[in-house]
Amino acid sequence: MRFKSVAVAAVLIGMSAMTMAQTVNSATNAPALGKGSTTSFDFPGAIDTEPTGLTPSGDISGRYTSTDGVQHGFLLSGGKFHSIDVPGAILTNADMINPRGQIVGNYIDSANVGHGFLLSNGKFTALDYPNAQFTVAFGVGATGEIVGIFGDSAGTLHGFLWKAGTFSLMDVTGATGSLPAMISAGRLVGGYFNSTGTHAFSSFHGVFQTIDCPGSTFTFLSDLDPQGQMVGGFGTADGNIHGALVIGQNCIQIDFPGGTKTYANAINPQGDIAGRYTGADGIVHGFLWRGFVKSANVVYSAAHDFSTRLNPNSVWSYGFTTSVGGPFTLDTISGSTFFSGEVGWFGPISGFFAPGYPLVVAAPNTVPTVLDMGPGPGSYAVVRWTAPSRGRWDVVGQFFGTGLTTGDVHVLHNGTAVFDSPVNGSQVAAFSLAIDVVAGDTIDFAAGPGPGGDNGADPTGFNVTITPEQ
């Protein structure tokens, strides 16, 4: 393998074959910041510091770039940094560390060939998948299993599992590239490529799930704890990168205070998270966020979570009804409006300004703060939230007119209205509700054309946040 190939593989992580049936688990973004203590750190003299692994005892592995532009691995243990360099290598990249202190990664030798490695008890062991052009080790479990990738002669990336000295292939069915990143307590996480982009995945007891944080341009998972709580990152249309904590169907956003391009590389059983962010100085720094998992709160936002790729989009669905509380039909047409260029979902009624009505759309190439709901003739645009669990949820939001609007808006719990209001001109219809639900209950947010049934010039702005009462 040439250096370029390994460099590409290293960048991607910053971001028997699997033949089990594939189900989609599209997590819902929950923008939240944990309240634990945060620490930013840098390897002494480094121009780039990126933590990649974290143990229950608090040891951190990672990589750094020195002032001469050379990449090295590091271990931060007991408050002291230790550099990691494979003898004779021109580049060393340290990735995960397990509770026993074993570290895996990859290196480039003097012939510009890439190898994986295992560092255990001070001894390096090279890892090379048979007949591969290069090998990269990403993750190491508590009992010594290693996962990673290798490249074949055609340039395709494949995943592997190394156990007790034996390699086995681990490819995602139908993928054009597979990148398993970490294994813990029988669970596996990572990412894969296909014709629709870069997606995260998890696999446990034969169940394979695709994970896409809503509204993301890509999603990748790098680590998980023994309970199955996963961390990684996702990109957004504004060009930013956010860390992600995935618990169940919730994709909780992680942004280091004052930084951009946050990525969560590692998590330990105590709920601490380590990763990287870009500071205001333009330099990539490492961070440790203690107790993030215990303090993170789920927040569902209709606008922030909006997806133009997925419908249903985890707890959110986009569709229409022909009466208030009537049967809900899912939109199947995705695209953009003809003049404003807003993107989203469209119903089956043809129109002059859009592919169809009713519609639910948002501004393109950004993380939206509001949605635009356009009713159809005698029909209602509906954003539906499906409760993921039992409890009392606070439902706070508003509809608002855009100047010429002459519509009617509603909030419905299982088809029964709990809020109704006209919206005329630039009128705002705000609501603040506490609703008791069980898992599977629906809360619909509907925008209609008003008593005359004419949907001309009736776009209605909308957003809502839904949070569990503590």
Side-chain angles (χ1 to χ4, degrees), residues 302-303 316 360 369-373 383 397-400 411 431 445-447 460-464:
W316 297 106
V360 180
T369 57
V370 297
L371 300 180
D372 186 357
M373 302 176 69
V383 174
Q398 62 180 13
F399 299 91
F400 58 90
V411 180
F431 53 88
F445 305 91
T460 302
F462 163 71
N463 192 23
V464 65

Side-chain angles (χ1 to χ4, degrees), residues 300-461:
Y300 296 104
S301 165
H304 186 281
D305 299 349
F306 187 62
S307 174
T308 59
R309 295 192 303 160
L310 300 171
N311 189 19
N313 171 27
S314 187
V315 296
W316 297 106
S317 302
Y318 316 107
F320 65 93
T321 64
T322 56
S323 61
V324 177
F328 175 79
T329 301
L330 201 68
D331 289 336
T332 58
I333 302 170
S334 62
S336 62
T337 56
F338 298 147
F339 296 99
S340 65
E342 292 178 292
V343 293
W345 297 94
F346 302 88
I349 304 172
S350 61
F352 181 73
F353 295 102
Y357 288 90
L359 58 81
V360 180
V361 295
N365 303 318
T366 187
V367 179
T369 57
V370 297
L371 300 180
D372 186 357
M373 302 176 69
S379 55
Y380 292 76
V382 176
V383 174
R384 167 169 286 187
W385 180 80
T386 301
S389 60
R390 175 189 294 272
R392 172 166 291 188
W393 295 75
D394 292 328
V395 181
V396 180
Q398 62 180 13
F399 299 91
F400 58 90
T402 58
L404 299 176
T405 304
T406 56
D408 58 304
V409 296
H410 312 268
V411 180
L412 306 102
H413 177 208
N414 289 338
T416 299
V418 293
F419 173 84
D420 303 284
S421 177
V423 173
N424 296 306
S426 299
Q427 179 181 352
V428 176
F431 53 88
S432 180
L433 308 166
I435 301 177
D436 294 310
V437 301
V438 297
D441 277 8
T442 60
I443 300 178
D444 288 351
F445 305 91
D454 182 2
N455 69 319
D458 277 342
T460 302

Side-chain angles (χ1 to χ4, degrees), residues 148-171:
I149 64 170
F150 69 93
D152 63 20
S153 57
T156 301
L157 296 178
H158 301 274
F160 72 79
L161 169 69
W162 182 89
K163 185 175 182 179
T166 300
F167 284 97
S168 57
L169 186 68
M170 299 189 73
D171 275 349

Side-chain angles (χ1 to χ4, degrees), residues 154-408:
T156 301
L157 296 178
H158 301 274
F160 72 79
L161 169 69
W162 182 89
K163 185 175 182 179
T166 300
F167 284 97
S168 57
L169 186 68
M170 299 189 73
D171 275 349
V172 176
T173 302
T176 56
S178 302
L179 296 91
M182 186 56 183
I183 188 168
S184 176
R187 293 180 169 90
L188 181 68
V189 297
Y192 69 92
F193 311 131
N194 65 12
S195 60
T196 62
T198 302
H199 311 272
F201 76 83
S202 69
S203 177
F204 184 53
H205 287 329
V207 178
F208 178 88
Q209 294 180 315
T210 291
I211 298 174
D212 286 303
C213 291
S216 63
T217 55
F218 73 87
T219 305
F220 194 92
L221 293 173
S222 294
D223 195 14
L224 75 164
D225 67 12
Q227 290 73 44
Q229 299 175 130
M230 301 166 279
V231 293
F234 64 96
T236 47
D238 58 1
N240 204 354
I241 297 173
H242 308 272
L245 166 65
V246 177
I247 303 176
Q249 295 189 29
N250 300 316
C251 183
I252 300 172
Q253 183 173 315
I254 303 172
D255 289 305
F256 192 85
T260 60
K261 299 188 185 308
T262 301
Y263 190 90
N265 280 91
I267 183 172
N268 66 11
Q270 290 92 327
D272 305 330
I273 292 175
R276 64 181 186 266
Y277 72 97
T278 301
D281 54 7
I283 295 175
V284 177
H285 308 274
F287 74 82
L288 174 64
W289 203 320
R290 295 191 182 278
F292 182 95
V293 175
K294 296 177 182 178
S295 59
N297 297 312
V298 173
V299 180
Y300 296 104
S301 165
H304 186 281
D305 299 349
F306 187 62
S307 174
T308 59
R309 295 192 303 160
L310 300 171
N311 189 19
N313 171 27
S314 187
V315 296
W316 297 106
S317 302
Y318 316 107
F320 65 93
T321 64
T322 56
S323 61
V324 177
F328 175 79
T329 301
L330 201 68
D331 289 336
T332 58
I333 302 170
S334 62
S336 62
T337 56
F338 298 147
F339 296 99
S340 65
E342 292 178 292
V343 293
W345 297 94
F346 302 88
I349 304 172
S350 61
F352 181 73
F353 295 102
Y357 288 90
L359 58 81
V360 180
V361 295
N365 303 318
T366 187
V367 179
T369 57
V370 297
L371 300 180
D372 186 357
M373 302 176 69
S379 55
Y380 292 76
V382 176
V383 174
R384 167 169 286 187
W385 180 80
T386 301
S389 60
R390 175 189 294 272
R392 172 166 291 188
W393 295 75
D394 292 328
V395 181
V396 180
Q398 62 180 13
F399 299 91
F400 58 90
T402 58
L404 299 176
T405 304
T406 56
D408 58 304

